[in-house]
């Protein structure tokens, strides 16, 4: 079985937003002051959206736009967990889970004992944080909650404009395929759920990488191919509609990609992290690194399965279009250049044929 992964890189373009806040701003003169998330590198400040927040937006989009039925959440004391049922709930399958639990069983002698049925699943979908391409110094802006009667209540918030980058990887072999090994992250199904899955039409397939104690290939439980295809295509297609972020009432921002690269690779390494190049004394300017993309294609050519789809929104990085068209002509058998949503749709058609 070939190890295939969808590798994606995106750029967002947002103005006067506060997409992911970090709580009270202790450096502000206002009592009610909210800071945005930011991080420092080489003494420079970069705003970012946490990977967790991006995943939350992604789940919301899948629920609202792809009609996914989300796994119910159970809360006990200070912990919370989903149903941990990837057969019935696609978000458990794609986003992973951990549920620590025990069940009471009765043996042949009538004695009751507790059995550990903890299940975990490493997420097939992995993603970075979304971080500003250039260094950014957020502006602290004063606001107030005011009505016609009574005193206004002042507060402040940090806002910024930025081009932001993020990347993700989706393991195509893992989606809809579940293991039951005694190893952390690999006990995906309880014995009862495994039995129910096979009764519902799942099949057992051989694991190419794991052997049992007698030297035979271990068994995996796998959903039908049409269900696995749909979950993969939905997960990628949701990027066309994704929305979210804090302060949307007064600082609404569009967080759909304005630039995207989608490719299938036969390795786990994500090749597109250096697609944008910054320059200037404070790294305050940037440009699309087309030569970097060219270098990636040449050096990793043997690891790409199918075509690489590059999507760009009209008006964004227009000065790079001549170079991108040259890239497309140079690698005409490997590269497709088109609008963002068309790139997503065309990649999804390709990946349908790549699902084993």
């Amino acid at each position: 079985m070939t190890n295939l992964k969808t590798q994606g890189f995106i750029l967002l373009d947002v103005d006067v937003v506060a997409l992911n806040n970090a709580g009270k701003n202790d450096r502000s003169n206002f009592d009610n002051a909210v800071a945005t998330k930011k991080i420092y590198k080489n003494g420079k400040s970069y705003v970012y959206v946490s990977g967790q927040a991006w995943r939350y937006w992604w789940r919301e989009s899948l629920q609202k736009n792809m009609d996914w039925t989300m796994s119910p959440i159970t809360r006990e004391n200070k912990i919370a967990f989903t149903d941990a049922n990837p057969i019935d709930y696609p978000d458990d399958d794609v986003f992973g889970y951990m549920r620590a639990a025990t069940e009471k069983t009765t043996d042949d002698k009538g004695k009751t004992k507790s059995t550990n049925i903890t299940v975990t699943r490493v997420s097939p979908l992995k993603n970075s944080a979304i971080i500003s391409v250039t260094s950014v110094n957020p502006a602290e802006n004063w606001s107030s909650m005011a009505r016609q009667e009574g005193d206004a209540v002042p507060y402040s918030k940090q806002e910024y404009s930025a081009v932001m980058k993020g990347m993700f990887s989706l393991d195509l072999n893992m989606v809809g395929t579940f293991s039951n090994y005694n190893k952390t992250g690999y006990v995906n199904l309880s014995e009862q759920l495994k039995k129910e899955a096979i009764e519902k039409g799942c099949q057992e397939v051989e694991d190419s990488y794991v052997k049992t104690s007698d030297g035979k290939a271990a068994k995996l439980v796998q959903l039908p191919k049409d269900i696995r295809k749909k979950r993969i295509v939905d997960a990628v297609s949701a990027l066309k509609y994704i929305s979210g972020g804090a302060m949307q009432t007064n600082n609404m921002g569009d967080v759909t990609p304005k630039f995207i690269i989608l490719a299938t690779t036969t390795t786990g390494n994500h090749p597109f992290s250096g697609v944008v190049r910054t320059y200037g004394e404070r790294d305050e300017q940037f440009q699309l690194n087309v030569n970097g993309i060219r270098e990636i294609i040449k050096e990793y050519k043997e690891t790409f399965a199918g075509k690489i789809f590059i999507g760009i929104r009209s008006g964004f990085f227009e000065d790079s279009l001549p170079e991108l068209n040259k890239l497309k002509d140079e690698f005409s058998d490997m590269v497709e250049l088109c609008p963002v949503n068309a790139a997503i749709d065309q990649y999804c058609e390709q990946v349908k044929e790549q699902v084993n």
Side-chain angles (χ1 to χ4, degrees):
M1 182 184 294
T2 305
N3 184 24
L4 296 178
K5 289 180 171 61
T6 295
Q7 309 287 14
F9 175 89
I10 67 165
L11 290 174
L12 312 181
D13 187 11
V14 291
D15 289 310
V16 196
V17 296
L19 294 176
N20 200 184
N21 290 319
K24 180 176 173 57
N25 184 0
D26 294 327
R27 297 184 178 183
S28 174
N29 293 324
F30 292 95
D31 291 333
N32 298 327
V34 178
T36 193
K37 283 188 180 291
K38 53 184 174 291
I39 198 165
Y40 295 88
K41 181 178 181 181
N42 297 329
K44 305 178 188 72
S45 170
Y46 297 82
V47 293
Y48 73 97
V49 174
S50 69
Q52 182 180 9
W54 190 12
R55 292 173 77 83
Y56 179 80
W57 303 349
W58 216 320
R59 283 178 185 264
E60 290 282 290
S61 180
L62 285 163
Q63 181 179 24
K64 294 175 181 177
N65 301 110
M66 301 301 173
D67 296 324
W68 277 22
T69 300
M70 294 303 182
S71 182
I73 296 173
T74 301
R75 299 182 184 276
E76 292 181 358
N77 299 322
K78 294 183 179 181
I79 65 171
F81 47 84
T82 66
D83 204 51
N85 181 348
I87 309 301
D88 294 337
Y89 300 109
D91 64 316
D92 273 345
D93 179 9
V94 173
F95 289 87
Y97 50 82
M98 177 177 180
R99 180 173 183 176
T102 58
E103 66 178 0
K104 294 188 179 299
T105 57
T106 304
D107 61 20
D108 296 338
K109 297 180 181 180
K111 293 183 177 180
T112 301
K113 63 177 182 178
S114 294
T115 303
N116 181 12
I117 56 169
T118 296
V119 288
T120 58
R121 176 165 172 80
V122 177
S123 173
L125 176 64
K126 299 171 177 62
N127 60 274
S128 68
I130 301 175
I131 188 166
S132 61
V133 171
T134 63
S135 60
V136 175
N137 291 315
E140 182 179 23
N141 288 323
W142 182 88
S143 300
S144 68
M145 187 282 180
R147 295 294 184 269
Q148 291 180 346
E149 297 179 359
D151 296 331
V153 178
Y155 66 96
S156 77
K157 54 188 176 180
Q158 291 186 328
E159 302 163 330
Y160 55 87
S161 295
V163 170
M164 308 181 76
K165 64 180 179 179
M167 58 185 182
F168 66 91
S169 177
L170 179 62
D171 192 320
L172 303 182
N173 298 88
M174 279 186 68
V175 175
T177 303
F178 314 106
S179 60
N180 197 26
Y181 312 140
N182 187 23
K183 180 180 177 182
T184 302
Y186 290 85
V187 185
N188 299 161
L189 307 174
S190 65
E191 287 298 326
Q192 180 61 33
L193 186 55
K194 178 180 176 180
K195 179 181 177 182
E196 293 175 5
I198 293 173
E199 290 173 352
K200 291 178 180 179
C202 293
Q203 60 179 341
E204 287 191 295
V205 297
E206 291 187 350
D207 190 328
S208 304
Y209 304 103
V210 179
K211 303 290 184 182
T212 61
S213 57
D214 59 3
K216 296 181 180 179
K219 297 290 186 179
L220 300 168
V221 176
Q222 192 171 72
L223 287 166
K225 185 183 287 188
D226 60 334
I227 296 177
R228 289 185 284 123
K229 283 183 179 181
K230 184 178 186 305
R231 291 182 178 183
I232 290 166
V233 168
D234 284 354
V236 178
S237 296
L239 291 169
K240 296 190 293 185
Y241 314 107
I242 195 166
S243 62
M247 303 286 184
Q248 286 289 315
T249 302
N250 295 323
N251 297 83
M252 188 175 72
D254 178 8
V255 295
T256 57
K258 299 301 174 286
F259 178 87
I260 191 167
I261 300 177
L262 290 167
T264 303
T265 68
T266 57
T267 67
N269 184 50
H270 197 295
F272 298 115
S273 60
V275 166
V276 182
R277 185 180 74 85
T278 58
Y279 60 96
E281 184 178 348
R282 298 291 300 173
D283 284 345
E284 73 282 2
Q285 299 182 69
F286 65 95
Q287 62 183 193
L288 191 62
N289 186 8
V290 179
N291 281 331
I293 302 174
R294 180 178 285 106
E295 181 180 277
I296 289 164
I297 295 172
K298 288 180 177 179
E299 294 202 333
Y300 291 97
K301 188 173 184 178
E302 71 281 358
T303 70
F304 290 109
K307 291 190 172 185
I308 301 166
F309 295 87
I310 301 175
I312 185 166
R313 185 70 69 216
S314 177
F316 187 72
F317 271 139
E318 281 195 338
D319 57 340
S320 296
L321 276 176
E323 284 299 312
L324 284 171
N325 279 306
K326 287 181 183 178
L327 181 77
K328 176 187 174 184
D329 293 339
E330 183 179 347
F331 299 99
S332 58
D333 59 330
M334 288 188 65
V335 174
E336 291 289 338
L337 179 64
C338 46
V340 170
N341 287 8
I344 294 173
D345 290 339
Q346 290 179 37
Y347 175 76
C348 286
E349 289 303 312
Q350 172 178 283
V351 84
K352 286 178 185 178
E353 303 302 317
Q354 294 174 328
V355 177
N356 293 315

